[in-house]
Amino acid sequence: AQKVTQAQTEISVVEKEDVTLDCVYETRDTTYYLFWYKQPPSGELVFLIRRNSFDEQNEISGRYSWNFQKSTSSFNFTITASQVVDSAVYFCALSGSYNQGGKLIFGQGTELSVKP
Amino acid sequence: KAGVTQTPRYLIKTRGQQVTLSCSPISGHRSVSWYQQTPGQGLQFLFEYFSETQRNKGNFPGRFSGRQFSNSRSEMNVSTLELGDSALYLCASQGGRGANVLTFGAGSRLTVL
C-alpha cells in the first residue's frame, strides 16, 4: 500500500525564518513520483515540484528547496527566509507508475503560518 | 491559457438529494481527476477519466459517479447525499501521457444539510 505521512500538522514561524516541512512516504513501486502542492486560502492546489524515483538530486528554486532521500523515504521541503505570502497548507503527494496518472496519494498536509 | 474551471463554486443541498458538479479542463488536456477534501479524511482520490473512459477509481461507494464527454469536460454526480459528503470537491487535469502533473481547479464546496 502507498502512504504519505506529514507529521507536522501546523507550523508557525516569524517572517525571515527558515522552515522545513517533512514528508515521509511508503511504496513498493520501484518507479514513482513525488510532489509538493501548496493550497492557499482560496482553495486551489498549486503545483510546486515533481520528482521521480530515479532522480535524487536536490532542487532549489528561489527560496524553495527540496531534499529527496530514498534511503529514508523522505522528500522534505525547505523555505528559506519565509514570507507572509508563504502562509498556506502544503501537501506532499505520491504517485505510482505513469498509468496511475491522475491518482495521487496525499499526506494530511502541513499548515504553515508565517507571521510578520 | 484558461485554467481548470469548476462549477458551481458553492452549493447547498439536503440529505437524500443528488448533485452534479462540472469541470472543464485546460484546453488540450484529456485526463480529468476528481478529489474530495474534508477536514477529517484530507484529500482523497475519487476517479480519473481519460478519453471518456474511467482509468482509475478510488475507494468510494457507488453513489459517487462520473463521466467525461468528447470535449474532455467532466461531471461527477453524488446521489442520495449524506451529511458526510459535505466537502470541497477538486477537479484536476493533466496533459501528455504520463505527465502526472495535475493542475487543479478552485473546487466546488458542497454543504449537505
Side-chain angles (χ1 to χ4, degrees):
Chain A
Q2 297 181 318
K3 185 179 178 182
V4 176
T5 302
Q6 294 179 254
Q8 305 150 308
T9 307
E10 296 178 13
I11 299 177
S12 182
V13 299
V14 177
E15 211 171 15
K16 295 190 175 61
E17 281 187 39
D18 298 347
V19 57
T20 295
L21 310 182
D22 298 332
C23 172
V24 174
Y25 63 92
E26 296 174 29
T27 181
R28 292 180 182 170
D29 292 338
T30 53
T31 301
Y32 53 88
Y33 300 85
L34 294 164
F35 304 81
W36 277 94
Y37 279 86
K38 172 182 180 179
Q39 187 175 40
S42 61
E44 188 170 334
L45 283 161
V46 177
F47 167 77
L48 295 177
I49 189 171
R50 178 187 69 171
R51 258 286 174 269
N52 73 49
S53 52
F54 298 107
D55 183 1
E56 285 194 74
Q57 273 192 335
N58 292 331
E59 176 147 346
I60 298 175
S61 175
R63 296 184 297 107
Y64 296 171
S65 62
W66 291 269
N67 182 286
F68 175 29
Q69 292 194 339
K70 284 179 75 170
S71 61
T72 56
S73 297
S74 65
F75 186 42
N76 297 336
F77 172 32
T78 297
I79 302 175
T80 302
S82 59
Q83 300 177 1
V84 173
V85 293
D86 295 327
S87 296
V89 182
Y90 291 85
F91 291 94
C92 180
L94 168 69
S95 174
S97 53
Y98 75 83
N99 65 0
Q100 290 189 0
K103 181 179 180 180
L104 299 185
I105 307 298
F106 283 90
Q108 286 296 102
T110 297
E111 183 172 5
L112 174 65
S113 175
V114 181
K115 301 188 187 312
Chain B
K1 203 174 189 181
V4 178
T5 304
Q6 292 188 244
T7 57
R9 290 292 315 278
Y10 303 91
L11 65 167
I12 300 173
K13 293 285 188 179
T14 56
R15 278 181 300 175
Q17 286 188 311
Q18 74 166 13
V19 66
T20 299
L21 308 177
S22 178
C23 173
S24 293
I26 290 173
S27 178
H29 285 191
R30 293 163 64 190
S31 165
V32 173
S33 300
W34 289 89
Y35 287 80
Q36 181 196 64
Q37 185 176 23
T38 60
Q41 299 299 316
L43 277 157
Q44 293 187 287
F45 172 76
L46 281 156
F47 29 66
E48 179 195 9
Y49 286 87
F50 180 84
S51 293
E52 302 179 64
T53 301
Q54 190 178 81
R55 179 159 75 172
N56 285 295
K57 187 176 186 301
N59 189 25
F60 278 80
R63 299 186 298 106
F64 292 81
S65 63
R67 59 178 176 168
Q68 187 180 33
F69 302 95
S70 58
N71 62 357
S72 293
R73 189 177 72 85
S74 176
E75 289 181 348
M76 68 162 283
N77 183 278
V78 188
S79 62
T80 318
L81 284 166
E82 300 176 359
L83 295 179
D85 297 333
S86 295
L88 179 66
Y89 290 89
L90 291 161
C91 165
S93 73
Q94 65 167 318
R97 188 172 172 82
N100 288 81
V101 175
L102 304 184
T103 302
F104 283 83
S108 293
R109 184 166 295 282
L110 170 65
T111 301
V112 182
L113 302 176

